[in-house]
Amino acid sequence: MNSSSIIIAIIAILIISVIAITFIQRREEERAATRQKISQYKYRANQATTILSNLSSFPIGQETRQILLQYTISNLKAVQKLAPNDPINNKNIESLNGHLQNSSSPSDSKRLIIPNDYEQLTQQINSLSNLAKFLIKLSKLEAINNSLVSSAVNRISALISESKICAYLQQGQSALSRHEYIHAQQSFSMAQQMMNKISNKNERLIRLEKDLQEMIKSTPSQAMKKNVSYESSEVMEESEDELFGPKKKW
């Protein structure tokens, strides 16, 4: 074999090697991109299930649960397309479809727990507010039944209003304990203004409005002792605020 043949053979080997290496690199890049997509879909699914778990004791309503379940299932189905042989993912889809058919919860028939601690109440308001924003964001997705969103957001908004009204009442009572009567009057007035904006009051809001009227008409010492916490023996999830990020001031 002459030198020219050897050179041609070496060049051919180099070309084949470059092609092989490029092919392998491209396959690895595609696999990495697939793994990244799977991680993103799983993260979104976990986000929705975490919300459901952390707000399990709240009367957020069947519509909200269905929306969150639909969102979770849609992300897991996206994972299924990329990894059809993942047994855990396939089992989770089957299980969540069952929950979707029966998404009611006993907590929906219970009253909203209003913490006695103002900081906890603030965290609760932030969590519910962020949940409403999240539901509105999900309404733009094809996998979500848009007819559920309006009812779900209205229900969450009612819980937010109830929490905020109670926050004003607690602020007013705190002001009374410091003999800051003007500040207390302003807080009770804000609570009444917010109450007046609610056209269709549920049973809890009707009871809360009655308590508010009693506090306004009573003496400062009587109003200060009025219980507006409606706390039960149930314990709020400590991790709920972590779900929506750092604490915010209301």
Side-chain angles (χ1 to χ4, degrees):
M1 181 181 295
N2 56 34
S3 59
S4 60
S5 300
I6 295 174
I7 293 172
I8 293 172
I10 292 173
I11 292 173
I13 292 172
L14 289 174
I15 292 173
I16 293 172
S17 299
V18 169
I19 293 174
I21 292 171
T22 302
F23 177 76
I24 293 172
Q25 287 179 337
R26 190 168 297 173
R27 286 193 61 183
E28 287 300 317
E29 288 173 357
E30 291 174 353
R31 288 173 181 174
T34 300
R35 288 194 296 267
Q36 184 177 8
K37 288 181 180 179
I38 289 174
S39 296
Q40 290 174 343
Y41 289 128
K42 285 186 175 181
Y43 172 81
R44 293 169 186 169
N46 288 335
Q47 182 185 29
T49 55
T50 300
I51 294 173
L52 283 171
S53 176
N54 289 342
L55 299 179
S56 61
S57 63
F58 286 69
I60 58 176
Q62 187 173 4
E63 296 89 353
T64 297
R65 292 189 184 85
Q66 288 180 335
I67 292 170
L68 293 173
L69 285 170
Q70 288 173 358
Y71 179 65
T72 305
I73 292 171
S74 68
N75 280 284
L76 294 183
K77 284 185 175 180
V79 173
Q80 190 177 51
K81 290 181 179 180
L82 297 172
N85 297 322
D86 185 339
I88 296 177
N89 186 68
N90 294 338
K91 186 176 180 180
N92 287 337
I93 293 174
E94 183 179 354
S95 175
L96 289 173
N97 276 324
H99 288 300
L100 184 61
Q101 299 303 317
N102 184 21
S103 56
S104 60
S105 172
S107 63
D108 291 334
S109 60
K110 298 179 182 179
R111 65 189 184 189
L112 176 67
I113 301 170
I114 302 297
N116 240 344
D117 181 78
Y118 181 73
E119 288 297 323
Q120 290 185 7
L121 180 53
T122 302
Q123 292 176 28
Q124 176 168 304
I125 293 170
N126 288 333
S127 294
L128 291 171
S129 298
N130 284 313
L131 173 60
K133 293 176 184 177
F134 189 58
L135 294 176
I136 294 172
K137 182 180 178 180
L138 296 186
S139 67
K140 301 175 183 179
L141 303 178
E142 293 183 1
I144 303 302
N145 185 348
N146 287 329
S147 63
L148 299 173
V149 176
S150 179
S151 297
V153 172
N154 287 339
R155 186 181 183 105
I156 301 302
S157 296
L159 298 180
I160 294 170
S161 296
E162 183 177 352
S163 299
K164 285 186 176 181
I165 290 169
C166 287
Y168 280 123
L169 295 183
Q170 289 183 6
Q171 283 181 330
Q173 288 180 312
S174 177
L176 287 176
S177 68
R178 300 189 301 271
H179 305 289
E180 298 174 359
Y181 300 117
I182 295 178
H183 184 191
Q185 185 180 27
Q186 290 174 340
S187 296
F188 293 148
S189 177
M190 291 294 293
Q192 185 62 65
Q193 290 177 27
M194 180 167 286
M195 184 70 75
N196 293 339
K197 292 179 180 179
I198 304 174
S199 55
N200 298 319
K201 299 180 179 67
N202 56 34
E203 184 179 343
R204 293 193 302 273
L205 288 173
I206 292 173
R207 181 185 60 187
L208 186 58
E209 185 173 31
K210 181 180 177 182
D211 290 343
L212 172 59
Q213 291 299 320
E214 289 178 0
M215 292 175 68
I216 292 174
K217 295 176 182 178
S218 62
T219 63
S221 60
Q222 290 173 331
M224 188 172 60
K225 296 178 182 178
K226 181 71 176 177
N227 178 24
V228 295
S229 67
Y230 305 125
E231 257 186 341
S232 71
S233 58
E234 297 180 62
V235 179
M236 288 177 56
E237 292 282 348
E238 295 181 357
S239 61
E240 70 163 325
D241 202 59
E242 296 176 3
L243 168 62
F244 299 109
K247 298 178 183 177
K248 300 178 182 177
K249 294 295 182 181
W250 169 57

